[in-house]
Amino acid sequence: MIVNYRSSSSDEEPDNSSENDSSPPRKRGKATETSTSEPLDYGSAKRTEDKSTNKTPRLPLPESMKEMFREPEEQWTDNTEEHGGRLGSFQHERGNWVTYVFFPYKPEESFVELLIAFMVVTAAYGSPLIPSEEFHVSLSKTVVLRHHWIQPFIQSIWTSLTQFQKSVISNQTSLFFCMADKLRVYFNAEKTRTFLGMEISTGTIQLLELIKLVDQTMKEFNLSTFYKDPSFHVSLAWCVGDHTERLKSACLSELQGLVDSHEDGPFYIRLNCKELRCKSGNKVFLFPQQ
Ligand code: AMP
């Protein structure tokens, strides 16, 4: 069956033929070359050098994580509402797992209060925006994976993350703080969804480092890499259709006024490298701590 690896809500480059290939990506490491939905054998848990390729060896996934992949394909479910409308433009097909990498964001009370205040203002302007049910900072575009690609995909991200934790945060804390103080309107590639987001303006260095690593995996799997001009943000609300201009001209400055006059100052979004996640279909993978 030919799978259409179309991009999702993201601003994707046009499809290319490699993304329509149902065979696994060729450039993957040894362990990921198997194209069956059987659990893959990751061999010994000991980390060994792959001298023949000089590439960083893959770390084996723990048994507990492998178990997560053993669910039969038929049990795949997807619910557009669950994703805050992000995935509305995907063709939902059995065996295709809508996937993205992200940091969860647990909002403070004042953030929720501000969001409620935003909704009052936007409703007064007749905007159909509805608040997001969960908050996150995306570190990838939303892509589609075949079921048998999920395990090697997660494996690849995990290997990169291990490198990141060792090299970038080494002895320091795994926490970093980003300041979010600017509202911005986003839309998906097809302009069928509009999002009101709070853009992260400082503390993006580590996020950019992480993007490089996630992008490596994306390239390995012939999937779209992140935006050339990344704008890290937390989406606060969304609606169907292209309401970008309407929001900008009608109420964005009023909403920004609410942020600027927020008595506790800008929001600091606390991100923990150890909490990086990948959502694939109806499963969320939490990367194990090193
Ligand atoms: P998210 O809440 O992370 O799913 O993002 C909401 C929307 O923002 C997605 O549909 C993205 O396509 C869109 N978006 C548009 N431009 C950008 C950009 N430069 N950086 C990040 N997200 C973007």
Side-chain angles (χ1 to χ4, degrees):
M1 177 174 51
I2 299 295
V3 178
N4 187 7
Y5 285 98
R6 284 194 326 143
S7 65
S8 65
S9 56
S10 321
D11 292 315
E12 306 276 303
E13 290 85 33
D15 281 352
N16 60 35
S17 55
S18 60
E19 288 193 344
N20 292 329
D21 183 357
S22 64
S23 56
R26 282 185 208 98
K27 280 202 269 171
R28 284 187 286 150
K30 195 175 160 203
T32 61
E33 275 161 16
T34 316
S35 62
T36 144
S37 56
E38 291 298 308
L40 299 171
D41 179 16
Y42 282 83
S44 143
K46 216 171 129 210
R47 193 176 173 152
T48 49
E49 283 287 317
D50 182 351
K51 289 182 182 124
S52 57
T53 58
N54 251 352
K55 282 189 185 154
T56 310
R58 307 231 172 226
L59 291 172
L61 286 181
E63 281 305 317
S64 58
M65 210 172 186
K66 285 190 196 173
E67 275 305 314
M68 299 180 81
F69 300 97
R70 296 208 172 113
E71 189 178 32
E73 264 183 64
E74 286 66 29
Q75 286 185 22
W76 176 82
T77 55
D78 199 7
N79 176 2
T80 312
E81 295 308 314
E82 257 182 35
H83 308 286
R86 271 172 206 89
L87 314 177
S89 45
F90 275 113
Q91 299 228 323
H92 291 180
E93 221 180 289
R94 178 177 287 180
N96 282 359
W97 289 57
V98 168
T99 304
Y100 61 102
V101 182
F102 65 100
F103 274 122
Y105 170 58
K106 215 168 161 248
E108 312 155 25
E109 218 180 294
S110 55
F111 185 91
V112 177
E113 282 165 11
L114 189 67
L115 179 55
I116 294 168
F118 285 171
M119 292 301 102
V120 172
V121 172
T122 53
Y125 281 95
S127 157
L129 276 180
I130 44 174
S132 304
E133 280 176 10
E134 56 81 33
F135 304 95
H136 67 261
V137 177
S138 293
L139 290 183
S140 76
K141 286 186 178 175
T142 307
V143 295
V144 178
L145 284 180
R146 292 291 292 160
H147 179 265
H148 58 274
W149 286 20
I150 300 171
Q151 183 173 0
F153 182 88
I154 299 286
Q155 166 99 42
S156 172
I157 301 265
W158 184 37
T159 303
S160 300
L161 187 66
T162 309
Q163 285 168 31
F164 177 80
Q165 286 178 339
K166 284 191 178 142
S167 65
V168 177
I169 55 177
S170 57
N171 299 323
Q172 303 159 23
T173 170
S174 59
L175 290 177
F176 50 98
F177 293 87
C178 303
M179 194 173 93
D181 57 356
K182 194 173 164 244
L183 289 177
R184 196 172 147 175
V185 181
Y186 298 86
F187 47 85
N188 63 352
E190 300 82 3
K191 294 202 172 184
T192 54
R193 299 283 186 281
T194 307
F195 300 84
L196 174 66
M198 184 93 96
E199 189 177 36
I200 290 177
S201 52
T202 65
T204 54
I205 293 167
Q206 288 98 332
L207 292 177
L208 288 167
E209 287 300 318
L210 276 168
I211 290 296
K212 276 189 211 159
L213 297 174
V214 175
D215 276 355
Q216 270 175 28
T217 297
M218 292 295 180
K219 282 182 201 154
E220 206 178 317
F221 286 77
N222 290 326
L223 297 166
S224 294
T225 52
F226 206 56
Y227 305 86
K228 297 278 171 279
D229 55 343
S231 166
F232 299 109
H233 64 274
V234 177
S235 285
L236 308 171
W238 67 281
C239 62
V240 173
D242 180 8
H243 293 262
T244 318
E245 289 315 317
R246 216 170 124 201
L247 269 172
K248 281 184 184 166
S249 60
C251 57
L252 196 62
S253 58
E254 191 171 332
L255 297 176
Q256 186 64 54
L258 292 177
V259 179
D260 297 343
S261 61
H262 179 243
E263 55 187 20
D264 298 330
F267 288 93
Y268 283 93
I269 307 223
R270 181 179 153 277
L271 299 173
N272 185 347
C273 289
K274 293 180 175 169
E275 282 182 3
L276 190 75
R277 287 169 198 199
C278 179
K279 182 158 186 173
S280 195
N282 54 5
K283 290 185 182 226
V284 176
F285 297 96
L286 176 59
F287 294 95
Q289 296 186 15
Q290 301 307 304

